[in-house]
Amino acid sequence: MKIELFVPCFVDQLYPETAFNTIKVLEKAGCEVSYNSKQTCCGQPAYNAGYWEQAKEIGNKFLNDFSDNEYIVAPSASCVGMVKNGFNDLFTNTIVHNKCRSMQTNIFELSDFLVNIVKKDYFGAELDGKAVYHDSCSGLRECKIKEEPRQLLSKVHGLEMVEMKDTDMCCGFGGTFAVKFDAISSAMAEQKVNNALEMEAEYIISTDLSCLMHLDGYIKKNNVPIKTMHIADVLANGWLDY
């Protein structure tokens, strides 16, 4: 199965190892992965800030950087959600309407793609410890992802998954929300981390590095004994032969 890899701009700049691990997992799932090095951003930051003309310009580049007849996979429900939903505001009834619709049908967040398209949930991963899963707003509400990452994580050797309170509540990041309303944003991160600590979790795992980046900032600032991990990094960790 051929797929095109979409690496969100902040993942490219801040978490490149997660992008490489995404490739490893996809290849282990039997996919032939191609990467267009000219890709940049989906336009979400500009879109969320209300700069729709600028977002449309970036979105047009995205439509040109990827094909509309192959699967597109990304390790970010937030960016996938932007393409699946935000692009409706930018490109409905434009000359690229049909191409946009085709691309929206073919783009998937990693866990959604692995479970529902490839039909594979075991990768021989290994991680010792107890973890909670954080449902990102975009993953849960825009991409309708809930059971898929839990199914994948349940097959990781040595990993005990527990459900924390208010797992589906926002972590407080919200892109520019964290900048404009930093006190509220920090309080929401504190609540999320405390909920994880109540379960004696050693890891907070999610499909979205934007959420994890925000939570990790709070964790490091306050020296909290817990770590964050993206699901791609978990699935590529400690591989066993199988």
Side-chain angles (χ1 to χ4, degrees), residues 3-35:
I3 69 105
E4 296 181 10
L5 179 67
F6 167 35
V7 179
C9 50
F10 75 98
V11 176
D12 176 66
Q13 294 297 308
L14 301 175
Y15 303 100
E17 188 63 30
T18 299
F20 286 116
N21 282 334
T22 299
I23 295 173
K24 291 177 183 177
V25 172
L26 286 168
E27 288 182 340
K28 198 160 192 176
C31 298
E32 181 182 335
V33 182
S34 64
Y35 173 74

Side-chain angles (χ1 to χ4, degrees), residues 43-216:
Q44 183 177 186
Y47 174 83
N48 287 344
Y51 296 100
W52 282 20
E53 285 304 313
Q54 289 84 350
K56 189 173 183 178
E57 182 178 348
I58 300 170
N60 265 313
K61 183 182 187 307
F62 183 94
L63 293 177
N64 289 326
D65 287 341
F66 293 90
S67 65
D68 58 352
N69 58 4
E70 287 191 356
Y71 288 119
I72 304 167
V73 181
S76 170
S78 177
C79 297
V80 170
M82 171 62 189
V83 177
K84 282 185 172 293
N85 301 284
F87 275 24
N88 290 336
D89 293 321
L90 303 179
F91 300 114
T92 296
N93 295 328
T94 68
I95 59 174
V96 294
H97 176 100
N98 290 337
K99 182 175 183 178
C100 180
R101 290 293 178 272
S102 296
M103 198 169 288
Q104 287 174 317
T105 301
N106 292 332
I107 190 167
F108 290 86
E109 180 276 329
L110 176 63
S111 68
D112 186 16
F113 182 75
L114 293 174
V115 172
N116 295 317
I117 302 300
V118 181
K119 309 292 185 182
K120 187 175 178 64
D121 61 9
Y122 177 70
F123 294 89
E126 184 176 54
L127 180 65
D128 290 327
K130 181 185 289 188
V132 293
Y133 177 76
H134 162 60
D135 289 286
S136 71
C137 296
S138 297
L140 186 64
R141 296 172 179 86
E142 291 190 311
C143 297
K144 312 301 180 185
I145 298 165
K146 184 173 179 66
E147 297 305 324
E148 290 85 352
R150 289 172 169 82
Q151 181 176 331
L152 289 163
L153 293 170
S154 71
K155 302 296 179 67
V156 176
H157 295 277
L159 185 61
E160 179 186 357
M161 294 299 302
V162 293
E163 288 290 329
M164 64 177 164
K165 181 174 62 179
D166 298 329
T167 182
D168 58 350
M169 295 289 286
C170 180
C171 69
F173 179 60
T176 54
F177 177 87
V179 178
K180 294 180 179 179
F181 305 99
D182 61 314
I184 300 173
S185 176
S186 296
M188 294 171 74
E190 179 182 17
Q191 182 181 51
K192 179 67 66 171
V193 172
N194 285 341
N195 287 343
L197 291 173
E198 283 182 9
M199 303 306 299
E200 300 181 344
E202 299 166 72
Y203 302 96
I204 300 174
I205 302 171
S206 184
T207 58
D208 278 88
L209 276 168
S210 51
C211 299
L212 296 175
M213 176 177 64
H214 178 60
L215 294 173
D216 192 53

